[in-house]
Amino acid sequence: MPQPDLHIGIVGCGKMGANIFHFLSDFPFRLTLVCRSFEGAEKINKTFIRKLDRSLRLGAIDQAQYDFKRSRTSVSNALADLGSCDLVIESIAENREFKKALFEKLDQIVSGNCILSSNSSSIPPSEIVPHEKRNHNTLGLHFFYPVSLVNLVEVNTLNSTSPDTIDRVRSFLLQLKKFHMVFSEEENFTINKLLLPLQAGCCFLHRNYGLAYSDLDEMVKDTLQFPMGMFAFFDHVGIDTMLVSVRNYVNDVASDPFYQSLIVELENLVVRGKLGRKSGAGFFQYEDTIASAAHEDEVTEQTISPAEIKAMLIRWYLDAVDKLLAKGICTKEELEHIVREYMNAGQSPFLLAKQNDYQFSV
C-alpha cells in the first residue's frame, strides 16, 4: 500500500517534470512540484485542478478524495517548499552544470535523510552529487515518457549509494507498480544505450550508402517490428536532447567513425534549428502531426542490397542484446520487457534471433 506520509518533491515543469507530477498525483503521497517561474507554477496548478474537477464531476473520485488531494498537493516556484521531502526528483534541462547547481541548493534545503534523485537520461548521478556526504543517498531515477503508459524505470546508482537508499527507492517504485532495474555506476543508462549501435548504424547507412531516412525507418520497422524507425524516434525525443545524450553515451569512443555519423547528423539539424516534432521539423517535416520527407544532406552513395541492410540492422540490434546477457546485466525476461516497453516492439529479440539464425554467446 502507498505510504500517505511520504513527501515527494519534483523540480522542473517541462514536458517530463509535468508528466511525472501528473502521474504521481494519482497516488496518496504528499506531493510538491517546484517550477522555475511563478507563471509556470500557475499554469501547472490550473491544469491539475481542472483534472481533479473533471474526476469529481465524472465520479472517478468523491468529495473526500478530492479534498484530500487538494490539501496534499502543491505547486510553487520556491525550492524552500521542498524542505520536508523524503525524496526529490530533479527533472530540469539536460545540462550537467544546471543540475549540479540545483543539487547544491537542494542540499542546503532538505534533510540529510532525504534522497536526491535525477531523472536525467544521460548524465551520471556521480557527476552532479553535491558533495561526499550525499554520496550515499543520491542516485538517478529515470522515468520514461509518457510515465503513465511506459512501465519502465532505470535506477542509476553511484558505487557509494547505500543499500538503504536503494531499498527505499525500490519500495517507492513498487508502490507505483513500476517495473524497474537497478544499475551500478558502470552500467548507468543501460536501457537508453541498448539501441545506440542501431541508431549509429542507421546514420552510417544513410551517409555511406545514400539511403533515405524514410526508407531506413521502414526497413527498421519491417525487420525489427518496431512501431517507428530510428529517425522518427529521434524526432519524437527531440534532436537537441538526443545530441546531448549521445555525446554523453559515446564520450570514450566519440572519434569512432561509426558513432561520428550519428553525432554529425544530429549536430547538423541542431545548428539549423530543426529539433524534431517540437519545432515542426527534424529528420522529417511535421504538419498537423503528419510526417513527410525532409531535405537530406549530400551523402556518399555506394551499392548495398536489401538483404545486406537487413542483416546489418539485425546484427547491430542483437549484438547489443547479447552484450547485456553476456555481462549478466539483464536476464532474458528483463530484456524482453525492456524492449517491449521502451520501443513498444512487436516481437521478442530472441524470436528474431531464432528466425535469422543469430547465435547468442550465452
Side-chain angles (χ1 to χ4, degrees):
M1 292 292 291
Q3 301 174 41
D5 292 331
L6 197 63
H7 188 180
I8 309 298
I10 303 165
V11 183
C13 289
K15 174 180 173 182
M16 197 65 200
N19 198 243
I20 294 171
F21 168 74
H22 286 298
F23 173 72
L24 293 181
S25 70
D26 287 331
F27 295 84
F29 304 123
R30 291 177 59 200
L31 189 61
T32 301
L33 173 66
V34 174
C35 301
R36 182 169 55 183
S37 68
F38 175 80
E39 293 75 17
E42 282 286 287
K43 181 179 178 180
I44 294 287
N45 195 46
K46 286 179 180 178
T47 301
F48 169 67
I49 293 173
R50 281 200 302 270
K51 174 186 173 183
L52 272 188
D53 289 344
R54 184 170 61 251
S55 296
L56 179 63
R57 186 172 63 254
L58 296 176
I61 59 175
D62 59 26
Q63 187 64 50
Q65 291 171 311
Y66 178 92
D67 294 339
F68 179 82
K69 287 180 178 290
R70 283 292 301 269
S71 67
R72 297 176 67 81
T73 305
S74 62
V75 184
S76 81
N77 64 327
L79 287 175
D81 291 342
L82 302 173
S84 63
C85 284
D86 301 291
L87 166 68
V88 174
I89 304 169
E90 166 273 311
S91 187
I92 63 172
E94 197 74 345
N95 181 293
R96 185 177 282 96
E97 296 309 314
F98 290 173
K99 291 179 185 292
K100 188 170 183 178
L102 173 61
F103 270 44
E104 289 172 351
K105 291 179 182 177
L106 290 172
D107 180 56
Q108 302 300 312
I109 294 170
V110 302
S111 73
N113 195 45
C114 176
I115 297 172
L116 294 181
S117 70
S118 173
N119 187 59
S120 173
S121 60
S122 67
I123 300 172
S126 60
E127 296 183 9
I128 55 179
V129 63
H131 54 70
E132 288 186 2
K133 291 182 179 179
R134 281 283 180 189
N135 283 354
H136 72 288
N137 59 2
T138 299
L139 45 67
L141 193 54
H142 180 211
F143 291 86
F144 289 79
Y145 186 89
V147 179
S148 61
L149 298 180
V150 181
N151 184 20
L152 189 61
V153 179
E154 278 184 322
V155 181
N156 296 303
T157 67
L158 289 75
N159 290 334
S160 54
T161 303
S162 73
D164 177 66
T165 294
I166 295 172
D167 287 345
R168 289 166 62 194
V169 167
R170 296 193 73 165
S171 176
F172 166 65
L173 293 172
L174 287 171
Q175 292 174 61
L176 304 180
K177 297 186 176 172
K178 281 291 187 184
F179 176 93
H180 58 279
M181 294 194 65
V182 178
F183 296 111
S184 70
E185 191 168 323
E186 293 74 22
E187 299 161 359
N188 282 179
F189 310 112
T190 284
I191 295 174
N192 270 18
K193 291 177 181 176
L194 176 62
L195 295 182
L196 189 61
L198 177 62
Q199 293 164 348
C202 287
C203 290
F204 177 83
L205 287 171
H206 167 71
R207 297 192 71 81
N208 289 275
Y209 294 95
L211 299 171
Y213 302 137
S214 55
D215 291 341
L216 282 164
D217 272 7
E218 286 303 315
M219 290 178 185
V220 166
K221 291 193 291 183
D222 291 344
T223 302
L224 306 180
Q225 296 297 297
F226 287 173
M228 68 174 72
M230 294 299 96
F231 297 107
F233 178 78
F234 294 150
D235 281 354
H236 173 74
V237 174
I239 305 301
D240 50 343
T241 301
M242 283 299 310
L243 178 57
V244 171
S245 296
V246 168
R247 281 173 171 163
N248 287 328
Y249 298 151
V250 303
N251 186 48
D252 55 339
V253 291
S255 61
D256 186 328
F258 182 68
Y259 289 105
Q260 267 299 305
S261 295
L262 172 56
I263 293 172
V264 168
E265 287 287 330
L266 296 173
E267 284 178 340
N268 287 346
L269 289 175
V270 169
V271 167
R272 284 142 55 188
K274 295 187 175 184
L275 307 182
R277 281 185 174 272
K278 61 186 176 184
S279 70
F283 286 101
F284 302 103
Q285 302 283 353
Y286 296 92
E287 295 180 12
D288 298 325
T289 72
I290 298 174
S292 59
H295 169 75
E296 302 191 29
D297 295 327
E298 291 290 329
V299 293
T300 302
E301 291 194 31
Q302 301 180 41
T303 302
I304 187 171
S305 70
E308 289 176 299
I309 297 170
K310 177 180 177 179
M312 294 168 84
L313 295 175
I314 291 172
R315 177 170 55 80
W316 287 324
Y317 173 42
L318 295 183
D319 278 358
V321 171
D322 184 47
K323 185 177 180 180
L324 297 183
L325 283 174
K327 288 186 173 182
I329 296 173
C330 301
T331 66
K332 177 180 176 181
E333 293 73 23
E334 288 168 340
L335 276 163
E336 287 185 322
H337 182 92
I338 288 169
V339 169
R340 185 169 60 250
E341 291 293 323
Y342 182 40
M343 280 304 297
N344 195 23
Q347 180 173 259
S348 160
F350 302 100
L351 178 58
L352 178 69
K354 184 176 181 181
Q355 292 172 342
N356 292 276
D357 296 321
Y358 180 96
Q359 299 296 318
F360 288 104
S361 60
V362 292

